[in-house]
Amino acid sequence: MLVGKRMTRNPKTVSPDDPLSFAARILREHRFHHLPVVEGGRLVGILSDADLRNASYGTMPAEGGTAEDLPVREAMRTEVWSVTPDDSVEDALLILT
């Protein structure tokens, strides 16, 4: 089976400059655990619900700010792998394991 048969065609995404509060709202409202981070039509990172939790306990922003005010780029992971719709689901699973 090909990835294209199983993938989400128009996923919800965030920008690296969006505030973490915006990303958290999308994750909560749609019950997602991960959000692709896209800039200029290109995948530049991934943000997980765990990344959000860690950001809230990590380094606090400038005085008077909160972790929710931080941009997504401060919490996202930038080492991402992707596959094409023409790749097999089996090959995608091999990457994940």
Side-chain angles (χ1 to χ4, degrees):
M1 179 178 284
L2 299 179
V3 169
K5 296 264 186 198
R6 302 288 305 160
M7 68 185 222
T8 301
R9 295 275 177 207
N10 296 304
K12 300 283 185 195
T13 64
V14 291
S15 159
D17 297 320
D18 286 334
L20 289 177
S21 58
F22 176 72
R25 187 169 54 250
I26 292 173
L27 288 169
R28 188 174 46 254
E29 286 176 2
H30 298 281
R31 296 184 179 196
F32 296 153
H33 296 284
H34 298 86
L35 270 176
V37 183
V38 177
E39 187 171 45
R42 230 180 60 116
L43 179 67
V44 295
I46 190 91
L47 182 73
S48 72
D49 52 358
D51 296 329
L52 280 172
R53 283 191 303 275
N54 290 339
S56 69
Y57 294 114
T59 307
M60 293 307 294
E63 202 170 309
T66 66
E68 292 178 342
D69 296 330
L70 288 173
V72 166
R73 75 174 68 253
E74 296 293 324
M76 72 182 196
R77 296 175 185 265
T78 57
E79 188 176 320
V80 294
W81 293 51
S82 62
V83 295
T84 70
D86 296 324
D87 288 325
S88 73
V89 170
E90 293 80 10
D91 288 342
L93 287 171
L94 287 173
I95 291 171
L96 291 173
T97 58

